[in-house]
């Protein structure tokens, strides 16, 4: 899965009219990622991490920045405002050792939710997974997370209940879909 991260950069406009650049995260984005986390409500944090936390610890943030670029993909949606870049959302794909399957997670800052950022990140993330030859991608959503479940359903994921984690598993078979 050798790849040049820069080839994955795109500029796009979301359904809600936000002009965003979607690109792989870099080590020097850590302060911007921290600023994104400052926008998150306890509900968003719970939906993303399945734990009731007020704010992620420095250790958690550091862990999120530990990325094996040869295996995983972490994309950020950024917006430039008054000359400064800010992160609106993050898509993370952690590949299994066979590199055919992987688990994704998605996170959009509270001020930008419902404006199509999550949909664009997911779309681009799945197209990269397909280009890399992955066969399927899955993610987990809590039953209260109607937005994530609606988004997954619209994008063609199969949704099944996982009683072990008390959450829905969303799976998409990339070999059956056309994405470029
Ligand atoms: C879930 C999340 C990633 C979705 O991203 P988003 O940018 O808010 O969602 P979008 O604006 O792209 O909307 C995606 C779809 O969800 C649906 N949707 C949006 N808001 C909704 C709501 N309040 N209720 C139900 N469906 C909703 C829309 O149908 C939309 O589809 P469309 O683009 O075809 O119109 C984002 O809300 C988030 O980060 N939530 C907190 C963390 C989380 O839940 N992560 C998921 C765990 S993997």
């Amino acid at each position: 899965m050798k790849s040049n991260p820069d080839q994955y950069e795109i500029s796009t406009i979301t359904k809600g009219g936000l002009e965003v650049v979607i690109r792989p995260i870099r080590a020097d984005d850590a302060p911007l990622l921290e600023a994104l986390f400052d926008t998150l409500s306890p509900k968003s944090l719970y939906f993303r991490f399945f734990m009731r936390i007020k704010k992620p610890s420095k250790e958690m943030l550091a862990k999120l920045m530990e990325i094996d670029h040869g295996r995983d993909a972490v994309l950020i949606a950024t917006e430039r405002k008054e000359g400064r870049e800010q992160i609106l959302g993050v898509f993370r794909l952690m590949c299994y050792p066979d590199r055919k399957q992987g688990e994704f997670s998605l996170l959009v800052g509270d001020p930008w939710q419902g404006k199509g950022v999550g949909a664009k990140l997911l779309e681009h993330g799945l197209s990269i997974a397909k280009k890399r030859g992955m066969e399927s991608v899955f993610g987990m959503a809590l039953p209260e997370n109607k937005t994530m479940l609606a988004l997954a359903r619209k994008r063609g994921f199969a949704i099944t209940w996982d009683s072990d984690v008390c959450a829905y598993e969303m799976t998409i078979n990339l070999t059956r879909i056309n994405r470029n």
Side-chain angles (χ1 to χ4, degrees), residues 14-16 40-41 43-50 88-90 103-110 112-122 139-142 145-152 154-155 170:
T14 71
K15 202 170 165 180
L40 297 175
S41 59
K43 185 169 143 190
S44 291
L45 286 165
Y46 178 53
F47 281 178
R48 168 63 181 83
F49 296 104
F50 289 40
L88 312 190
V90 189
E103 177 170 5
F104 82 93
S105 65
L106 203 50
L107 179 67
V108 175
D110 278 51
W112 308 287
Q113 288 178 10
K115 296 181 176 178
V117 177
K120 287 285 186 190
L121 273 169
L122 183 61
M140 303 303 293
L142 289 166
N145 196 348
K146 306 291 178 222
T147 309
M148 187 62 235
L149 290 164
L151 174 55
K154 275 195 185 169
R155 296 301 179 272
M170 311 164 284

Side-chain angles (χ1 to χ4, degrees), residues 74 76 95 129 141 157:
V74 181
I76 52 175
C95 294
F157 283 75

